[in-house]
Amino acid sequence: MHLYEKRQEVEAVVAGYKNQHETIGLVPTMGALHKGHLTLIEQCLLENDRTIVSIFVNPTQFNNLKDLEKYPRDLEKDIALLNNLSQDIIVFAPNSNELYQNNIETKGYDFGDLADQMEGRFRPGHFDGVGTVLHIFFELLQPDNAYFGKKDFQQLAIIKKLVALENLPVQIIGCPIYREESGLAYSSRNERLSKLHREHASFIYETLIKVREKFGIDNAIQLRERVKKQFENNPYFKLEYFEICETKNLQPVSVFEKSKKYRAFIAVFADDIRLIDNIALN
Ligand code: AMP
């Protein structure tokens, strides 16, 4: 594992790889690494000559200051986990002023309809922040491939759009959602869950599984109503949104068509901890 905190240093390393015609894979993360992150990094190691993992809690994608402050950070532990995986990983962990060159500003992107729903709707400015930071990473680190989890499915679609809009020479690769035995999707925020919330956290994935079971029997309106009721009767989690969208364009649907693919999306609060998940319905 080689740790770089300065843009210039990592830029020189990247230039060296490019000179040798080595392929570069990038896994952008906000740290507090868990097994979900590690599956992305393992795939990246397999598919590229060089693997860069960025660890950066990006201020411009947080619409809630408390969430940013409370976001778990443990670089030492992250480094130990990465060293365990491979000694060859390059870690880029700049601070905000270094990455943004003392100008922490969000760029505006035209992500169109993709950004109107779900995360875009409930976290205003979030996707512009995601786009801003990834645009910087892609230009600085020049990856051939970049790996993202389907846990943030809407983000994955936004990043593909960013790459198309800006004509960036990077292939975006979506990776499966990695779950705990209970079904709870691994997330850095899980660390902050109380024992009680943890014990009941399987409820989120179970809700999605039930929706998948009823898909094709109930229509989208009935499915949404059922989920809403289930959460009204659940004392542990507060539903922020539940949505069923066409996979291709992430637009909410009311009528299902046989030829199309659909996905269900959910965001819930456990106290002040926000968790998201999603599932393919067909
Ligand atoms: P984060 O550090 O939360 O920004 O996540 C970094 C990357 O890891 C993103 O592409 C996430 O979608 C992905 N990721 C986070 N949790 C999981 C998970 N449980 N399974 C698969 N990918 C994940």
Side-chain angles (χ1 to χ4, degrees), residues 28-30 34 36-37 40 71 148-149 151-152 176-178 186:
T29 80
M30 297 204 296
H34 52 66
H37 293 119
L40 270 60
Y71 200 85
F148 296 89
K151 168 161 173 291
D152 301 278
I177 302 174
Y178 194 75
Y186 273 94

Side-chain angles (χ1 to χ4, degrees), residues 77 158 161 245:
K77 191 169 154 211
I158 290 277
K161 178 102 185 187
C245 297

Side-chain angles (χ1 to χ4, degrees), residues 3-62:
L3 174 65
Y4 298 96
E5 293 176 332
K6 299 283 174 218
R7 289 174 61 121
Q8 263 194 345
E9 292 167 357
V10 80
E11 233 167 355
V13 171
V14 165
Y17 296 158
K18 290 282 163 190
N19 268 337
Q20 299 296 316
H21 303 290
E22 291 179 308
T23 56
I24 298 175
L26 171 66
V27 184
T29 80
M30 297 204 296
L33 299 181
H34 52 66
K35 286 185 185 162
H37 293 119
L38 298 188
T39 58
L40 270 60
I41 299 166
E42 278 167 356
Q43 188 175 341
C44 184
L45 283 163
L46 283 174
E47 296 178 354
N48 299 274
D49 297 323
R50 301 289 179 174
T51 288
I52 305 179
V53 175
S54 61
I55 295 181
F56 180 64
V57 182
N58 174 34
T60 64
Q61 72 188 66
F62 282 81

Side-chain angles (χ1 to χ4, degrees), residues 59-252:
T60 64
Q61 72 188 66
F62 282 81
N63 55 316
N64 177 337
L65 202 63
K66 275 241 162 70
D67 191 24
L68 171 63
E69 279 166 7
K70 288 192 177 165
Y71 200 85
R73 295 165 171 87
D74 193 342
L75 187 58
E76 253 177 56
K77 191 169 154 211
D78 290 345
I79 287 172
L81 277 174
L82 293 175
N83 259 329
N84 236 348
L85 208 60
S86 157
Q87 307 274 310
D88 294 331
I89 296 170
I90 301 294
V91 177
F92 181 46
N95 68 29
S96 296
N97 278 330
E98 174 67 21
L99 190 77
Y100 282 97
Q101 299 180 293
N102 296 315
N103 185 21
I104 304 178
E105 260 183 21
T106 311
K107 268 202 196 176
Y109 294 93
D110 183 9
F111 295 127
D113 292 350
L114 267 186
D116 290 347
Q117 313 294 333
M118 302 187 290
E119 295 302 286
R121 176 159 163 231
F122 286 91
R123 301 184 70 186
H126 170 65
F127 285 132
D128 279 335
V130 169
T132 302
V133 77
L134 288 174
H135 202 168
I136 296 174
F137 278 137
F138 290 156
E139 284 184 340
L140 188 69
L141 305 172
Q142 298 179 54
D144 299 280
N145 301 303
Y147 296 79
F148 296 89
K150 289 186 184 174
K151 168 161 173 291
D152 301 278
F153 198 88
Q154 192 179 12
Q155 169 176 278
L156 178 62
I158 290 277
I159 295 162
K160 285 180 179 165
K161 178 102 185 187
L162 170 77
V163 163
L165 282 174
E166 300 294 328
N167 226 340
L168 302 169
V170 53
Q171 200 189 334
I172 302 303
I173 297 164
C175 305
I177 302 174
Y178 194 75
R179 300 179 181 282
E180 295 184 2
E181 232 169 84
S182 68
L184 176 67
Y186 273 94
S187 162
S188 303
R189 291 183 171 91
N190 293 356
E191 273 185 27
R192 295 186 50 230
L193 289 173
S194 68
K195 194 163 167 271
L196 195 66
H197 280 122
R198 234 173 203 290
E199 277 166 17
H200 290 88
S202 60
F203 181 74
I204 302 165
Y205 185 53
E206 279 162 10
T207 303
L208 292 178
I209 294 279
K210 273 190 211 142
V211 169
R212 190 175 63 187
E213 283 167 7
K214 292 282 178 195
F215 175 80
I217 302 168
D218 290 352
N219 64 35
I221 296 159
Q222 290 166 320
L223 291 173
R224 284 191 192 97
E225 269 309 304
R226 185 192 300 272
V227 169
K228 232 173 100 184
K229 284 221 178 84
Q230 280 166 354
F231 273 88
E232 276 165 12
N233 295 325
N234 181 295
Y236 306 107
F237 300 100
K238 195 169 152 269
L239 183 66
E240 183 174 53
Y241 66 74
F242 170 77
E243 201 48 273
I244 299 177
C245 297
E246 195 186 332
T247 306
K248 205 167 82 181
N249 55 20
L250 297 188
Q251 294 311 295

